[in-house]
Amino acid sequence: MKYRSVFDIIGPVMIGPSSSHTAGAARIGRAARHLFGREPKYAHVHLYGSFAKTYKGHGTDVAIIGGLLDYETDDTRISQALVTARKNGMKVRFHEEDAITDHPNTARLKIGDDDGELELVGISIGGGKAEITELNGFELNLSGEHPAILLIHNDRFGAIASSTTILAKHEINIGRMEVSRKAQGEQALMVIEVDQNVDDAVLNELERADHIIQVAKISE
């Protein structure tokens, strides 16, 4: 199946020392892992602002890689995440960037393997929370505060209608909807926040809808 729970923002239950630099960073890494769907073979982590300046002392490096290993924020294995990743054959590289970003705790992750690649930008906003602001070139605003469905689709007429019709059939109310595309006629991204968690059966049906390429979800 192409869908999976992306990440669950519930507050600063974590391995320290910093909710912003550790727990938030782990959530960014775990979001990338779940969207990619498997453990990557390589990870290029570009750090900006205070992330770049303090990532070793505050554990941002092990937190992000722990997230890529699918560790929860309170998993004691996070402290050894870099060692484990390298034992698993993951090639990890950190880049300290000088560019000024909109948020001081910003990370850009480029992960992949022989079968695919994913690029994601996330920010840690404090209290162990994180937001995803970019996915494979698509701009978005994904906080995880509400259940959400992410649908990558071909930019064709009928894609939005077919998806929303399925949600209406299952009496799932849409709280917010955001659509972005790279260029006319190419791939597009729908982000649909809903009022309740969505069952796997509904996600399977969405995956079969017209023009839909990939489906992912965020549970409350």
Side-chain angles (χ1 to χ4, degrees), residues 57-208:
H58 283 185
T60 305
D61 50 355
V62 294
I64 288 177
I65 301 306
L68 291 177
L69 293 172
D70 205 20
Y71 295 166
E72 296 276 4
T73 57
D74 60 350
D75 196 317
T76 57
R77 294 175 295 173
I78 283 179
S79 63
Q80 296 297 312
L82 281 168
V83 175
T84 302
R86 286 166 178 150
K87 284 182 178 178
N88 293 352
M90 187 191 304
K91 296 180 180 179
V92 178
R93 185 176 178 185
F94 290 92
H95 307 261
E96 301 171 21
E97 303 290 356
D98 296 325
I100 298 174
T101 55
D102 292 335
H103 194 280
N105 298 330
T106 298
R108 179 182 295 272
L109 277 60
K110 298 179 181 178
I111 64 174
D113 56 20
D114 292 338
D115 297 319
E117 189 173 62
L118 177 142
E119 184 171 347
L120 174 149
V121 176
I123 59 175
S124 178
I125 60 175
K129 296 183 179 181
E131 292 182 357
I132 305 305
T133 60
E134 185 180 316
L135 175 63
N136 286 344
F138 295 108
E139 293 183 359
L140 69 158
N141 181 16
L142 194 57
S143 69
E145 293 181 358
H146 306 283
I149 307 164
L150 288 77
L151 301 100
I152 296 176
H153 60 95
N154 293 316
D155 184 28
R156 301 287 189 274
F157 66 88
I160 295 174
S162 64
S163 302
T164 55
T165 297
I166 290 170
L167 295 179
K169 183 179 72 173
H170 292 277
E171 299 183 351
I172 296 171
N173 190 51
I174 296 173
R176 187 182 73 89
M177 185 172 181
E178 177 183 358
V179 181
S180 61
R181 64 184 182 184
K182 296 179 180 178
Q184 184 176 352
E186 296 185 5
Q187 285 190 1
L189 174 68
M190 266 187 280
V191 178
I192 305 174
E193 289 187 350
V194 294
D195 290 342
Q196 71 259 37
N197 290 327
V198 179
D199 292 338
D200 288 353
V202 178
L203 298 177
N204 280 327
E205 191 171 349
L206 285 168
E207 194 175 46
R208 296 191 297 269

